[in-house]
Amino acid sequence: MAISRRYFLTGASVLALTGGALARSYRGSVPWSSKTARPPSPAGLHQTFFSAEERSVIVAMVDRLIPKDEFPSASEAGVVTFLEDQLAGPYGRGDIYYLQGPFQQGTESQGYQAEAPAILYRQAIADLETAIRKEGTDGFTALDAEAQDDFLTALSEGEQELEHVDAKTFFDRLWEDTQLGYFGDPVHGGNRDMVGWKMIGFPGARYDYRPYIDHNGKALDLPPVSVAGNYQREAN
Amino acid sequence: MRYLSLAQSLTRSSRRIRIAGLVALSACLFAAATHPALAQGTNDWSELQRGLYLSRVGDCAACHTADPEKPMAGKYALDTPFGTIWTANLTPDEETGLGEWSADDFWRAMNEGIRRDGAHLYPAFPYTHFTLISRADSDAIYAYLQSLEPISQDVMEPDFPFPLNIRFVLNGWNLINFEDRSFTPDPERSAAWNRGYYIAEGLGHCSMCHSPKNFTGAVKDGDAAYSGGMAEGWLAPALRPGSGGPGLSDWSKDDLMAFLRHGRNSRTAAFGPMAEVIDKSTRHLTDSDLDALATYILDLPESGEAPADSEAIDTDDPAMQTGALVYATQCSACHGPDGEGIPGQFARLKGSSLTQSSDPTTVVRLVLEGVRSVPTEKYPTPHAMPAFDWKLNDAEVAAVATYVRNAFGNSAPAVTADAVAEIREAQ
């Protein structure tokens, strides 16, 4: 592109005008003041991404992926809250992906090849509900546990296709996100009361493990701690 | 600047003129040596340097430079228990500063706390300490201030309530709290001690922060002196053992000198108002003055008042249990599992006088707000302690404060959640 004289002058004057305003010079040391760092913002219950129907389908699915035993199920541990919060934010928008055309068939080694996760989730739920209803059942939630497991297995093995999105891509995302919600820091809405960490004996976001360097793989038996502190306090 | 311009001309002129200049210079030097009036004129470079140095010893800039672009132009809002007072413009501006002041006027302000117009200065200006300094030192500071760029900056009257807004009442205050003193060396003591006394009690005005104050806002002396006081909402810790805590009883002179020079030593790092004092004042002290100051401070007599309750709280105490968990998960990475810190980097809590101060305000504020050490030549990269106010509730802050004050062999009174709530509120 040839740069016209007018174009150049406009650009130069904009630079000249803003350059002065943006410049800061510090001598000695960079100024510091207390409490200016932004703490992690806890996931709020107010943020909703799913409709009531979508939510019930997601609850049913994640509770098959991590069902209740002596530990709570995925939804009881706040995984759906976690998913809502994530899908309503930068993760859902796919902010970390390049999402412009031209669109070509990518390879597996090129990483995530689908739409923004929010679109993927919403479309996949609609498609799988349609597919199940075609078989004469009233949606995923109406299936019994065994049928739900069969359906999810079929999704995960690419045997059950979805009309608009790649079924396996959706299943892999859902499975990964469910684990993130169950074992991630409670500050993000899931892992309520650090149940995921209590299950596997992970002591959480402690700053200092030097006293345990020589523990040689033995269980630590330390109460878990969240990034947001939380000493036996309720999450949220 | 007479000599300076002569020197400049020497480098520029021809050899012949240079020789003539040398002759003139020696004549000047001779005149200066034989005429005290010439040597002490306000244009004397070494006198100005001495004044600058003394102004740093006195940390004038701490209060009189509110805006770094306007050095010594005052208008720094000083919060006192009685209201806000704005500091004076010390630049030689004729309308708003000290432009009209003579060396005598300046001396009267330093020595008696009386303004050029005869009105009393509020004792937020430490004339109660400055009264000790010599006339020669006062004149040097005066000469330095007069050499500054005049800056026009009007300063408001303090917003004190009646009757404190009537400066005349300060006659009464002075009657109770002020004694016009001058410095007489104690022949029983070393020269270093005497110099240290002159610096600490005079220009340095250390006890303005490190001693408690009476109900009129005056520094307490006697047994209470240097037992710790409040400064800008921080506790200025006790400097000698007694009711305020262990003070500096186990600090070596090297510890104290390193602290005042570099802002850090093997046991701690300066922060808050003291970091500012080090930055603007003590790091500039000459080696001998620093040595003298440390000699005097570490020789302060043990306070006659009984030390605070020294029974350590039992580790079975619920607060100690919670505190130990909070400490292990939030604090120990820097301060060490056993409170030993990292010399020259992170403060040692084990045996720390600040940690064990009777008044826990500073410990609690540190946990709530975090803090940054002062960058100095030796340690140009300051470390910061993060704020924990967003992740620890009042009970947890109280527990961890109680824990660090009673673990590692420390002992100090427990901190209550209510006290933490109050300090959190005050921020």
Side-chain angles (χ1 to χ4, degrees):
Chain A
M1 183 182 88
I3 294 175
S4 73
R5 184 183 151 85
R6 177 175 297 171
Y7 185 86
F8 174 79
L9 287 176
T10 314
S13 57
V14 167
L15 267 182
L17 285 173
T18 54
L22 296 173
R24 290 261 193 291
S25 63
Y26 292 122
R27 274 176 300 171
S29 66
V30 178
W32 180 91
S33 57
S34 170
K35 297 199 275 189
T36 43
R38 276 197 311 174
S41 53
L45 290 167
H46 60 281
Q47 255 177 326
T48 48
F49 172 76
F50 297 120
S51 69
E53 287 107 66
E54 287 169 342
R55 191 180 169 96
S56 64
V57 174
I58 281 288
V59 167
M61 284 201 288
V62 298
D63 281 354
R64 287 320 299 156
L65 295 173
I66 304 181
K68 182 181 171 70
D69 47 19
E70 68 261 44
F71 290 96
S73 72
S75 67
E76 287 168 342
V79 166
V80 180
T81 305
F82 169 82
L83 289 176
E84 296 242 25
D85 200 57
Q86 292 299 314
L87 290 171
Y91 170 78
R93 290 195 301 269
D95 279 3
I96 63 161
Y97 304 121
Y98 182 77
L99 294 171
Q100 309 299 311
F103 298 105
Q104 287 170 342
Q105 191 61 43
T107 67
E108 212 166 285
S109 67
Q110 289 173 318
Y112 187 71
Q113 294 292 324
E115 305 78 353
I119 300 173
L120 177 72
Y121 267 78
R122 188 147 275 156
Q123 189 64 60
I125 293 169
D127 285 357
L128 70 88
E129 283 290 276
T130 312
I132 293 167
R133 288 203 164 94
K134 262 187 197 157
E135 304 291 318
T137 322
D138 195 13
F140 186 83
T141 52
L143 301 173
D144 61 24
E146 201 181 328
Q148 287 181 336
D149 285 355
D150 289 345
F151 186 83
L152 288 170
T153 310
L155 275 184
S156 73
E157 289 168 356
E159 282 163 18
Q160 172 69 53
E161 294 201 346
L162 298 175
E163 192 183 343
H164 298 97
V165 295
D166 183 58
K168 186 164 162 44
T169 302
F170 167 66
F171 179 84
D172 290 347
R173 263 299 132 133
L174 178 66
W175 174 224
E176 190 180 321
D177 292 348
T178 304
Q179 295 174 78
L180 289 175
Y182 203 89
F183 297 107
D185 196 285
V187 78
H188 305 297
N191 193 6
R192 190 163 293 156
D193 299 337
M194 296 177 272
V195 287
W197 293 351
K198 286 172 187 164
M199 176 196 284
I200 58 172
F202 178 62
R206 290 164 175 259
Y207 279 85
D208 187 18
Y209 284 104
R210 281 173 300 172
Y212 306 99
I213 282 172
D214 295 325
H215 82 302
N216 293 328
K218 290 194 289 286
L220 282 176
D221 197 26
L222 292 169
V225 176
S226 156
V227 161
N230 192 336
Y231 298 93
Q232 314 308 317
R233 272 185 277 150
E234 291 289 308
N236 297 311
Chain B
M1 291 298 152
R2 197 174 307 151
Y3 306 151
L4 206 62
S5 56
L6 238 176
Q8 282 167 341
S9 72
L10 279 179
T11 59
R12 289 182 198 146
S13 351
S14 73
R15 188 185 165 87
R16 184 175 299 168
I17 299 174
R18 227 178 281 167
I19 292 166
L22 270 175
V23 173
L25 179 65
S26 15
C28 280
L29 286 175
F30 180 74
T34 49
H35 285 269
L38 250 181
Q40 294 196 348
T42 50
N43 275 345
D44 187 322
W45 189 79
S46 63
E47 175 83 344
L48 296 184
Q49 284 300 300
R50 218 168 69 81
L52 164 65
Y53 177 74
L54 292 167
S55 78
R56 284 170 167 172
V57 174
D59 201 9
C60 309
C63 290
H64 290 282
T65 301
D67 174 1
E69 302 293 313
K70 297 179 179 176
M72 298 293 182
K75 212 175 180 179
Y76 173 82
L78 202 65
D79 290 319
T80 76
F82 312 103
T84 303
I85 186 166
W86 285 273
T87 60
N89 180 353
L90 302 187
T91 69
D93 182 63
E94 293 194 355
E95 297 288 317
T96 62
L98 306 187
E100 302 272 324
W101 287 45
S102 68
D104 286 340
D105 295 333
F106 188 74
W107 167 243
R108 193 156 71 131
M110 294 289 275
N111 197 39
E112 294 171 56
I114 294 175
R115 217 158 59 175
R116 180 166 177 270
D117 63 5
H120 281 283
L121 290 161
Y122 285 99
F125 170 63
Y127 63 87
T128 45
H129 292 76
F130 295 165
T131 181
L132 208 63
I133 78 169
S134 69
R135 175 68 201 241
D137 282 357
S138 168
D139 285 353
I141 298 171
Y142 169 79
Y144 165 67
L145 293 174
Q146 293 291 316
S147 78
L148 296 173
E149 194 69 38
I151 295 168
S152 176
Q153 172 145 279
D154 243 329
V155 175
M156 307 77 100
E157 277 285 300
D159 66 358
F160 290 166
F162 181 82
L164 295 177
N165 56 352
I166 314 286
R167 285 176 183 267
F168 183 76
V169 301
L170 287 161
N171 279 313
W173 192 92
N174 284 337
L175 209 59
I176 312 169
N177 297 312
F178 177 63
E179 186 192 350
D180 184 353
R181 292 174 298 160
S182 54
F183 173 62
T184 336
D186 180 349
E188 305 280 298
R189 303 283 196 158
S190 68
W193 188 93
N194 275 301
R195 177 68 183 163
Y197 176 93
Y198 180 76
I199 294 172
E201 303 297 339
L203 276 175
H205 62 288
C206 308
S207 65
M208 278 290 272
C209 292
H210 287 283
S211 292
K213 295 177 185 67
N214 68 19
F215 69 98
T216 66
V219 165
K220 288 188 186 173
D221 53 12
D223 273 349
Y226 295 108
S227 62
M230 295 304 292
E232 298 168 37
W234 293 94
L235 174 83
L239 300 184
R240 59 177 184 160
S243 58
L248 303 179
S249 50
D250 66 342
W251 282 44
S252 71
K253 195 155 91 176
D254 284 345
D255 286 342
L256 185 52
M257 285 176 69
F259 183 77
L260 296 173
R261 172 77 76 217
H262 307 301
R264 284 187 219 176
N265 59 20
S266 62
R267 50 176 77 232
T268 193
F271 56 85
M274 191 63 205
E276 216 174 292
V277 171
I278 288 168
D279 184 42
K280 292 187 168 143
S281 173
T282 61
R283 76 187 172 94
H284 299 287
L285 258 58
T286 62
D287 287 344
S288 66
D289 275 357
L290 200 61
D291 181 280
L293 181 58
T295 303
Y296 173 73
I297 293 293
L298 294 178
D299 197 48
L300 289 170
E302 195 156 320
S303 159
E305 289 182 22
D309 179 19
S310 59
E311 195 73 22
I313 298 168
D314 204 75
T315 48
D316 292 341
D317 186 274
M320 288 291 282
Q321 297 270 316
T322 310
L325 175 62
V326 176
Y327 184 83
T329 54
Q330 311 293 339
C331 319
S332 74
C334 294
H335 294 292
D338 300 312
E340 71 277 18
I342 297 176
Q345 306 289 331
F346 303 115
R348 183 160 90 210
L349 306 182
K350 183 185 170 73
S352 154
S353 47
L354 187 72
T355 309
Q356 298 175 84
S357 297
S358 314
D359 183 329
T361 306
T362 288
V363 178
V364 172
R365 278 193 66 175
L366 281 171
V367 176
L368 287 175
E369 297 169 44
V371 86
R372 189 176 76 163
S373 61
V374 55
T376 54
E377 269 171 30
K378 185 169 181 185
Y379 300 105
T381 309
H383 294 314
M385 169 163 162
F388 290 88
D389 65 321
W390 61 275
K391 65 154 77 170
L392 300 179
N393 63 27
D394 291 342
E396 287 157 358
V397 173
V400 77
T402 302
Y403 178 77
V404 297
R405 288 156 65 77
N406 290 280
F408 332 123
N410 289 353
S411 60
V415 180
T416 63
D418 287 347
V420 175
E422 210 169 291
I423 294 168
R424 201 192 279 267
E425 192 76 14
Q427 286 174 51

